[in-house]
């Protein structure tokens, strides 16, 4: 629980006691500000905030690789630092909140523009330009799967109908206060669960749904023609695999490693924009769709653009992070990067308990579409290389999933 000195945001939960499920929550803009701020966080920042235990595909291993590699493998010491603590340009506008999840300093805030506003006396601010001040008392409804909309009678009735609430008096109301630690926990749940509010309320253990992950893996095709596609030529890699078609590691050059490490600098909102949804099984994609949907009228257009297309700030564009040269690397199936050496290769083979006569080397030429699939797989499975290079023979089509609030 938060201490008395620690800032918190108030959220009222409406709970179905019989099902032990949060149906929806009501809050002021402070809570919604923090939720929308999740979208501006680069993937590397997400991993760092979650203590390298994000449970999102291979992200933790990519981040650990950057940490463990010597500074000699990076173009400058600052390049390594930027990968470990990437900053989104939208952070200046969207992350100086009452409860701060990200700890980067130097941010801009917005105060109410009305000269008669009484809230200015206590220093009230908002991360979202144009958001209603507390003098206007704008309230939001947030569903368990993080769909956001301004409170209204029609929305209340539609939610009663959606959840089969015949007697609203039977719903239990719980007021909770969320600190930065608890909001960080909610961030983790939003990446890996469809019910983060219920999970927080009833302290449900965070675990990945294996069957749901398998369904996602069956479709690893990104949207075509968007501006986030990596402009790279085909990349050639050598893979050490077993005769039974399991993959141990890939031998790659600095360009491939640059692609993996650069992935840590991409904000969550840009990932959703690229693939059309959150590739893994969480529900943070609902926050993204709410910005241009059910909550659109509550966010001024300039800030809306920052949330829908957040970009990296502080990078050294055009020069890359990894030092170029003849040095090769090995990348394991879970995308952990190591310098290519006899010691490291033997260690991987020994850990896999494979006999040398059961090993075979194969060369692959990866097109841009496959590289993009690999990055998507990195968000879904700890076996990203295998899922792209050794795909299942019979892929099933994913069912159409509706993300509407009503």
């Amino acid at each position: 629980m938060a201490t008395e000195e620690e800032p918190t945001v108030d959220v009222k939960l409406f709970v179905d006691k019989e099902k032990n499920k949060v149906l929806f929550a009501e809050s002021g803009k402070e809570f919604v500000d923090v939720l929308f701020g999740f979208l501006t966080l680069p993937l590397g920042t997400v991993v760092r905030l979650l203590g390298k235990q994000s449970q999102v595909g291979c992200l933790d291993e990519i981040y650990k690789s950057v940490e463990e590699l010597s500074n000699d493998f990076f173009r400058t010491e600052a390049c390594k630092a930027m990968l470990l603590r990437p900053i989104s340009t939208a952070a200046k506008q969207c992350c100086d909140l009452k409860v701060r999840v990200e700890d980067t300093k130097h941010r801009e805030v917005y105060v109410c523009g009305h000269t008669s506003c009484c809230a200015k006396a206590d220093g009230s601010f908002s991360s979202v330009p144009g958001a209603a001040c507390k003098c206007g008392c704008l309230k939001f409804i947030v569903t368990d799967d993080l769909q956001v909309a301004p409170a209204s009678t029609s929305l209340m009735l539609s939610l009663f109908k959606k959840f089969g609430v015949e007697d609203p008096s039977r719903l239990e109301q719980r007021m909770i206060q969320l600190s930065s630690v608890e909001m960080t926990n909610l961030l983790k749940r939003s990446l890996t669960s469809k019910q983060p509010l219920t999970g927080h309320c009833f302290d449900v253990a965070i675990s990945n749904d294996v069957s749901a992950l398998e369904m996602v893996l069956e479709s690893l095709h990104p949207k075509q023609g968007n501006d986030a596609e990596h402009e790279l030529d085909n990349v050639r890699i050598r893979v050490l695999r077993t005769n039974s078609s399991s993959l141990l590691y890939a031998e790659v050059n600095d360009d491939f490693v640059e692609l993996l490490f650069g992935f840590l600098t991409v904000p969550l909102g840009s990932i959703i924009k690229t693939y059309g949804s959150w590739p893994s099984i969480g529900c943070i994609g609902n926050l993204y769709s709410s910005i241009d949907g059910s909550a659109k009228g509550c966010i001024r257009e300039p800030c809306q653009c920052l949330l829908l297309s957040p970009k990296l700030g502080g990078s050294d564009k055009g020069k890359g992070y990894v030092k170029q040269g003849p040095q090769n690397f090995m990348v394991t199936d879970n995308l952990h990067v190591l310098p290519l050496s006899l010691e490291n290769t033997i260690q991987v083979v020994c850990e896999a308990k494979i006999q040398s006569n059961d090993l075979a080397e194969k060369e692959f030429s990866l097109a841009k579409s496959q590289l993009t699939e690999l990055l998507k797989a990195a968000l879904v499975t700890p076996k990203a290389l295998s899922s792209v290079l050794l795909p299942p023979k019979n892929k099933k089509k994913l069912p159409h999933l509706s993300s509407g609030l009503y």
Side-chain angles (χ1 to χ4, degrees):
M1 295 298 292
T3 63
E4 291 182 0
E5 297 79 13
E6 191 174 2
T8 61
V9 292
D10 295 334
V11 180
K12 182 181 290 185
L13 304 179
F14 293 81
V15 180
D16 185 327
K17 293 182 292 184
E18 295 182 357
K19 299 180 180 179
N20 284 343
K21 175 179 171 56
V22 175
L23 301 185
F24 46 86
E26 184 178 50
S27 73
K29 64 179 179 60
E30 291 86 359
F31 178 60
V32 175
D33 275 350
V34 181
L35 291 181
F36 284 161
F38 289 169
L39 299 171
T40 73
L41 298 175
L43 296 179
T45 298
V46 171
V47 174
R48 177 175 62 82
L49 293 173
L50 300 181
K52 291 167 286 187
Q53 296 180 352
S54 69
Q55 300 181 14
V56 178
C58 303
L59 288 187
D60 297 335
E61 292 302 319
I62 298 175
Y63 189 91
K64 292 175 186 177
S65 300
V66 176
E67 273 191 326
E68 295 169 5
L69 278 176
S70 166
N71 290 344
D72 296 337
F73 291 100
F74 297 91
R75 194 171 55 79
T76 65
E77 186 176 342
C79 287
K80 180 175 180 177
M82 285 188 284
L83 289 171
L84 294 176
R85 297 183 71 92
I87 302 172
S88 167
T89 55
K92 293 182 180 180
Q93 287 79 17
C94 302
C95 290
D96 202 340
L97 311 172
K98 182 179 179 182
V99 170
R100 294 177 56 182
V101 174
E102 216 273 294
D103 53 5
T104 305
K105 299 179 181 179
H106 307 298
R107 302 207 173 117
E108 299 173 1
V109 297
Y110 299 85
V111 296
C112 183
H114 296 286
T115 56
S116 61
C117 177
C118 60
K120 287 184 177 180
D122 62 7
S124 296
F125 58 84
S126 173
S127 65
V128 182
C133 176
K134 72 178 185 180
C135 60
C137 297
L138 181 63
K139 288 290 182 177
F140 290 91
I141 297 297
V142 182
T143 59
D144 194 13
D145 60 354
L146 301 187
Q147 298 178 61
V148 180
S152 67
T153 301
S154 60
L155 175 58
M156 178 189 68
L157 293 176
S158 67
L159 290 174
F160 286 166
K161 181 177 180 181
K162 176 180 178 179
F163 294 113
V165 178
E166 297 182 357
D167 184 1
S169 65
R170 296 178 65 87
L171 292 179
E172 179 184 357
Q173 299 184 28
R174 299 186 186 180
M175 181 63 74
I176 61 174
Q177 290 80 39
L178 299 176
S179 66
S180 60
V181 172
E182 291 160 327
M183 287 301 302
T184 301
N185 179 273
L186 194 61
L187 166 64
K188 183 173 183 176
R189 292 183 183 277
S190 72
L191 298 172
T192 56
S193 170
K194 298 292 186 184
Q195 299 178 325
L197 293 180
T198 292
H200 176 82
C201 181
F202 293 99
D203 196 23
V204 178
I206 300 175
S207 62
N208 284 325
D209 186 334
V210 177
S211 61
L213 284 174
E214 290 176 349
M215 291 183 64
V216 175
L217 280 172
E218 291 169 352
S219 179
L220 287 174
H221 300 288
K223 293 168 65 177
Q224 299 297 320
N226 62 71
D227 57 5
E229 187 174 356
H230 295 276
E231 296 297 330
L232 292 175
D233 296 327
N234 287 5
V235 174
R236 301 186 73 83
I237 65 174
R238 291 181 176 273
V239 171
L240 184 66
R241 56 186 295 185
T242 67
N243 292 327
S244 59
S245 295
S246 61
L247 190 151
L248 296 185
Y249 68 83
E251 179 181 339
V252 304
N253 61 20
D254 54 279
D255 286 339
F256 190 89
V257 175
E258 179 74 34
L259 175 72
L260 291 185
F261 287 174
F263 200 41
L264 295 174
T265 69
V266 181
L268 284 171
S270 294
I271 294 294
I272 299 170
K273 178 183 178 182
T274 298
Y275 296 111
S277 62
W278 176 241
S280 193
I281 58 175
C283 60
I284 196 167
N286 289 336
L287 288 175
Y288 186 89
S289 59
S290 296
I291 292 170
D292 196 29
S294 52
K296 184 175 182 179
C298 303
I299 306 173
R300 207 168 65 184
E301 186 174 350
C303 194
Q304 182 178 350
C305 294
L306 288 174
L307 291 172
L308 294 177
S309 301
K311 294 178 173 58
L312 178 68
S315 64
D316 198 356
K317 295 183 178 179
K319 296 183 179 180
Y321 299 94
V322 180
K323 184 183 295 183
Q324 295 183 338
Q327 172 71 48
N328 281 351
F329 300 84
M330 57 186 298
V331 179
T332 59
D333 203 7
N334 64 355
L335 302 187
H336 193 90
V337 180
L338 297 164
L340 183 65
S341 68
L342 185 61
E343 177 186 0
N344 288 336
T345 55
I346 290 177
Q347 180 179 348
V348 171
V349 173
C350 290
E351 289 177 352
K353 299 180 180 180
I354 302 296
Q355 299 296 311
S356 59
N357 58 4
D358 192 31
L359 297 174
E361 188 180 33
K362 183 176 181 180
E363 187 172 278
F364 287 88
S365 179
L366 300 181
K368 287 190 294 183
S369 60
Q370 290 175 297
L371 291 171
T372 312
E373 288 178 12
L374 178 64
L375 297 181
K376 185 175 183 180
L379 298 168
V380 178
T381 172
K383 296 184 177 182
L385 281 179
S386 294
S387 67
V388 174
L389 301 180
L390 307 174
K393 294 181 179 180
N394 298 316
K395 288 189 176 183
K396 302 177 183 179
K397 292 184 177 180
L398 286 174
H400 176 72
L401 299 178
S402 173
S403 60
L405 181 65
Y406 300 97

